[in-house]
Amino acid sequence: MATPKKDTLLDWYRQMVLIRRFEERCAELYQQGLIGGFLHLYIGQEATGVGAVAALRENDHVITAYRDHGIALARGLDPKAVMAEMLGKRTGVSGGKGGSMHLADRERHFWGGYGIVGGHLPLAAGIALAAQYEEKDEVVLALMGDGATNIGYFHESLNLSAVWKLPVVWLIENNQYGMGTSVERASGAKELVRRALAYSSEDGSGMKMGPRIDGMDVLAVHDAVSEAIEHARKHGPILIESLTYRLEGHSMGDPQRYRTKEEVESFVESGPIGRFRQVLIDKYKGVESTLDKIDEEALQAVEDAVEFAQNSEDPTYEDLISHVYVD
Amino acid sequence: MPEITLIEGLRQAMDEEMARDDRVFITGEDVGPRGGVFRATVGLFDKYGADRVIDSPLAELSIVAIGIGAAMAGMHPICEIQFADYIFPAFNQIVNEAALIHYRTGGDWHCPMVIRAPYGGGIGGGLYHSQSVEAFFAHAPGLKVVIPSTAYDAKGLLKAAIRDPNPVMFFEPKKGYRLIRGEVPDGEDVLVPIGPANVTRQGTDVTVYAYGMMHHYALQAAQTVAAQDGIECEVVDIRTLVPLDKETVIASFKKTGKALIVYEDNRFLGYGAEIAAILSDEAFEYMDGPIRRLAGLDVPGVPFAHTMQDLFMPSPEKIASAIRDLAAY
């Protein structure tokens, strides 16, 4: 696969930094009590989200689970509207009804984050069925965590997509832990991508088992997901697995007794943003100043988003009772 | 005017709506060449093809969730659950996704779909082929819940449900599939709006509220007590459980002052409890007797043995007896 152009790579860097800064600020706001409820950070997994979403066309579709801030921002949702949603404001992407775990934007074909683990997977199959029926050349990218591969939705959805040859890329973001339970404590197959074999035939029909990829390398993710999307477009479903790592707890306030500090530290060093920054510095002489500028702009964009959100109106009683039914 | 069965009304509704709008499709277990376990979709596979009458794997949550995803993407799916008893694997998808998507996205998406399921006892189906599940879904705002009791309404309400932009739970009294017959005009666009209840018998002494098979029985019971006891019942077919036509429900109570609510689901927290609560709250001064419910017993399932099944279920005789008690109060 041809290496993307410099501008594209810089844009991926920008997205990854924006997501990181955005979420760091969210953590602060959470601790200040300005973001309520639950907050699941994507920190450490940015390369997977950015690389995968970048492989989509505009008219393709993306759907994910509750750890969705990174995917939303990568898909181009306005950080202001996302931050306003985090703070439960009228100006949020869902008018404050969705919150952190349920961001969605119809225009950008971002079908949302979903709060029930695995519950969105059969919906992805339905979206793909509609695209197939209407003979639209559109692919659905369905992301999920490793934990979702153990619930029935996953298996029914994979089977159905194989039977009906639906244009879906099933992408497991294996961040090693389903909340506090490590993959090998929850799954019979340690290599989760092998689950595809259960829905594939000897003659190659059915679900394609795709690669396990280095999810900390945005270039590797982009390459693999691009190939997977082409497969889905032409032949039907494929399962791929991105090996990544969640550097923060499952959600805010997670004491993380299930893993050691040393383990976490080992992933900090190989973190996706620093790694990609180094790739860019090695590749483009004198790019540091550009990267520094991107870093500053990301900080500013996040501050602007916070200001916008904080100055936005709270939802009203009318908002509460609206959108129960379509008239 | 031709007389048809309730299930033929359903079949005609699906046929006509599929002909009208190619975004309408059917999926479910054996809905295709076999025509469905009760044969509600018979002939549709041959007419519309495998792309629009889609046999699914035996997997209820997928049947429903595929429908939700496709509905969000602009299609109008009809998802058939073979028996209402089998709907629970899809419960999460229905109450957490279908009911919520319009609300949680601030109106960005909606979910125009119908989930059809035969419900109810009286056919000796036993524990897992006799259940009434409407109360679970009537409790979830965002869903509409519809139960027809006549062939005409079966056709007209299902057509309206298919055109409705919201997710509609459409429960069908399976005992009445072929037992209930009625005149339905041919070649006319029979549409019964979702919402209004139907006063199917005028009376002054007692109002009997019911839906589905129990409405059919309620009419029989009303005739019996009129002939034998001179009691004139008003009968209200609820037919749309959500949104409830409170106006019609309350108006009839104001006329009679006595309410008997009949449903075959378990009595405790069944749908009729809500009607009772509404009447006592909003028409208290018209009350001329206790608001009574006649319902299935509070046992975990409808047992197999016909003796126990008959003891469990309301019947025309039991309804007549309850009407007499209430009229005498």
Side-chain angles (χ1 to χ4, degrees), chain A residues 85 93-95 97-98 101-107 109-116 118-120 122-127 129-131 133-134 136 152-153 156-157 159-160 163-164 166 319-327, chain B residues 22-25 27 51-52 54-63 65-70 72-75 89 92-93 96-97 99 101-111 140-144 164-166 242-243:
Chain A
E85 190 66 30
V93 286
S94 301
K97 283 197 178 110
M101 291 188 265
H102 315 109
L103 304 168
D105 186 340
R106 182 159 198 159
E107 264 179 49
H109 291 212
F110 174 53
W111 294 72
Y114 285 80
I116 303 283
H120 65 300
L123 302 192
I127 297 162
L129 180 74
Y133 177 78
E134 291 177 345
K136 290 179 181 166
Y153 305 111
E156 286 196 20
S157 304
N159 183 55
L160 249 163
V163 174
W164 293 346
L166 299 175
D319 293 323
L320 167 72
I321 60 169
S322 67
H323 300 124
V324 179
Y325 293 98
V326 186
D327 296 332
Chain B
D22 67 7
R23 293 172 303 171
V24 179
F25 74 96
T27 189
D51 286 351
R52 297 186 64 195
I54 308 171
D55 276 333
S56 72
L58 200 162
E60 280 79 12
L61 87 80
S62 296
I63 294 168
I66 281 278
I68 298 170
M72 288 171 69
M75 303 284 286
N92 172 62
Q93 297 293 333
N96 273 331
E97 314 295 3
I101 198 69
H102 184 61
Y103 188 73
R104 60 162 268 200
T105 61
D108 272 3
W109 272 278
H110 64 287
C111 189
L143 303 175
K144 293 187 177 181
D164 199 283
N166 298 284
V242 181

Side-chain angles (χ1 to χ4, degrees), chain A residues 51-267:
Chain A
V53 170
L56 295 168
R57 296 178 188 166
E58 244 178 59
N59 61 352
D60 288 331
H61 307 274
V62 59
I63 189 167
T64 189
Y66 55 86
R67 199 177 299 282
D68 62 347
H69 316 147
I71 307 300
L73 293 173
R75 191 58 175 165
L77 273 70
D78 182 352
K80 288 179 177 163
V82 177
M83 190 60 88
E85 190 66 30
M86 308 291 293
L87 269 70
K89 299 291 189 169
R90 288 196 86 183
T91 51
V93 286
S94 301
K97 283 197 178 110
S100 155
M101 291 188 265
H102 315 109
L103 304 168
D105 186 340
R106 182 159 198 159
E107 264 179 49
R108 287 177 181 75
H109 291 212
F110 174 53
W111 294 72
Y114 285 80
I116 303 283
V117 172
H120 65 300
L121 301 176
L123 302 192
I127 297 162
L129 180 74
Q132 184 186 62
Y133 177 78
E134 291 177 345
E135 295 176 358
K136 290 179 181 166
D137 184 22
E138 296 171 356
V139 168
V140 181
L141 171 66
L143 298 106
M144 73 204 86
D146 44 274
T149 64
N150 298 316
I151 196 162
Y153 305 111
F154 171 79
H155 298 277
E156 286 196 20
S157 304
L158 259 65
N159 183 55
L160 249 163
S161 67
V163 174
W164 293 346
K165 298 187 174 59
L166 299 175
V168 188
V169 174
W170 304 107
L171 171 56
I172 305 166
E173 292 190 81
N174 181 352
N175 69 12
Q176 323 293 334
Y177 294 93
M179 198 175 270
T181 304
S182 60
V183 167
E184 61 274 14
R185 289 173 59 213
S187 171
K190 279 184 267 190
E191 301 82 20
L192 297 174
V193 76
R194 286 170 55 81
R195 296 280 177 86
L197 296 173
Y199 309 104
S200 62
S201 306
E202 277 188 356
D203 65 8
S205 64
M207 177 73 54
K208 181 176 166 70
M209 183 174 87
R212 298 182 93 200
I213 50 185
D214 178 356
M216 307 304 254
D217 176 353
V218 67
L219 294 164
V221 172
H222 181 261
D223 276 1
V225 176
S226 296
E227 278 177 30
I229 287 171
E230 279 322 295
H231 176 87
R233 226 181 270 291
K234 290 188 187 122
H235 309 292
I238 175 170
L239 179 67
I240 56 180
E241 179 180 359
S242 176
L243 296 168
T244 181
Y245 196 77
R246 155 164 68 66
L247 291 171
E248 300 295 326
H250 163 72
S251 61
M252 296 295 290
D254 175 1
Q256 302 183 55
R257 292 200 185 92
Y258 48 85
R259 61 185 186 183
T260 63
K261 281 203 173 94
E262 291 72 29
E263 180 186 302
V264 178
E265 284 306 315
S266 73
F267 282 96

